[in-house]
Amino acid sequence: MAIAHHSSTNKLRFVLKQMFHHGRNLGLFVFTYKTICFVLRHYGVRGGIECWIAGFIGGYWAFGESKGISGAVNNQIVLYLFARGIEGMARSLVKRGILPPSLDIKSPGGFRIFAGFSLALILYMTDYESDMLRPGFMNTMNNLYYESNSGRLAPPVNFTPIVLVVLASLLSTMLPKLTLDNILSVIDRVGPHQPKV
């Protein structure tokens, strides 16, 4: 019991530290960004360049730490923001007429192209420049794309339910009873039973 308590206490401490670092970094960024924008705009620097300058300085200062707990939080935030920035820039290029409307990632066809490009890029990196990808990510990629090529054909026990659902969904076009909704309704009927009161 003491070990479980100790473990949950450590988890709580870790989460609280992450929340503290994120809150502090976000507050520091907002203060830095707004202050620099205010000063630059006061001196006539406008048109978006003030956002670039203030954003760069604020991001460098507030979210630039890449080590320890603060670094772990910063890493996730910066990667998320980078992805959102790329998405927004792609949409902006369509809006400006630089890219054709068929590449707008809000459209079904445009999103398919975006998804295809993203997966092609990561699989190229996995095969030819894997040392540039994070070790934890590469462990997953190695398991999915290399280790699965040898050894037993059956998936590890913990992946079996997922593999079965995926296989059933692939067969659902030929066998309509295997749609995800039908599978889930069967699971709901068979699932854990409530004790009688």
Side-chain angles (χ1 to χ4, degrees):
M1 186 67 173
I3 293 172
H5 174 70
H6 181 69
S7 176
S8 62
T9 301
N10 284 343
K11 288 177 186 175
L12 179 62
R13 289 174 56 84
F14 179 74
V15 169
L16 289 174
K17 282 182 180 180
Q18 286 186 320
M19 288 171 45
F20 170 80
H21 286 289
H22 174 59
R24 183 196 65 196
N25 293 350
L26 185 58
L28 181 61
F29 174 79
V30 170
F31 173 78
T32 304
Y33 177 81
K34 287 186 165 215
T35 301
I36 293 172
C37 277
F38 175 80
V39 170
L40 290 174
R41 288 172 182 156
H42 178 74
Y43 287 103
V45 179
R46 295 183 179 274
I49 190 72
E50 79 281 14
C51 297
W52 280 98
I53 293 169
F56 181 85
I57 293 171
Y60 182 90
W61 189 28
F63 289 104
E65 177 62 44
S66 63
K67 302 290 182 211
I69 290 177
S70 185
V73 173
N74 291 348
N75 184 277
Q76 294 302 309
I77 291 168
V78 170
L79 288 174
Y80 173 80
L81 294 174
F82 182 76
R84 291 292 164 242
I86 294 296
E87 176 190 24
M89 185 53 70
R91 296 192 66 226
S92 175
L93 292 173
V94 170
K95 181 179 175 184
R96 295 176 192 190
I98 297 169
L99 290 177
S102 62
L103 293 181
D104 187 347
I105 61 175
K106 285 288 195 174
S107 72
F111 189 80
R112 285 187 179 280
I113 292 169
F114 181 63
F117 174 78
S118 298
L119 274 288
L121 173 63
I122 204 64
L123 288 165
Y124 166 81
M125 295 294 295
T126 298
D127 277 352
Y128 295 99
E129 297 190 45
S130 60
D131 58 321
M132 297 294 113
L133 298 171
R134 295 184 177 272
F137 178 76
M138 276 308 302
N139 288 340
T140 301
M141 298 304 278
N142 282 331
N143 182 271
L144 289 172
Y145 297 102
Y146 300 120
E147 292 171 9
S148 63
N149 290 343
S150 61
R152 64 191 196 110
L153 187 57
V157 174
N158 57 336
F159 283 113
T160 301
I162 296 167
V163 170
L164 291 175
V165 169
V166 169
L167 287 174
S169 68
L170 292 172
L171 294 172
S172 68
T173 55
M174 296 179 291
L175 303 166
K177 289 191 176 191
L178 290 179
T179 64
L180 181 59
D181 290 335
N182 287 338
I183 292 169
L184 292 175
S185 69
V186 169
I187 291 171
D188 288 341
R189 286 194 308 261
V190 176
H193 298 287
Q194 301 297 323
K196 292 181 182 179
V197 179

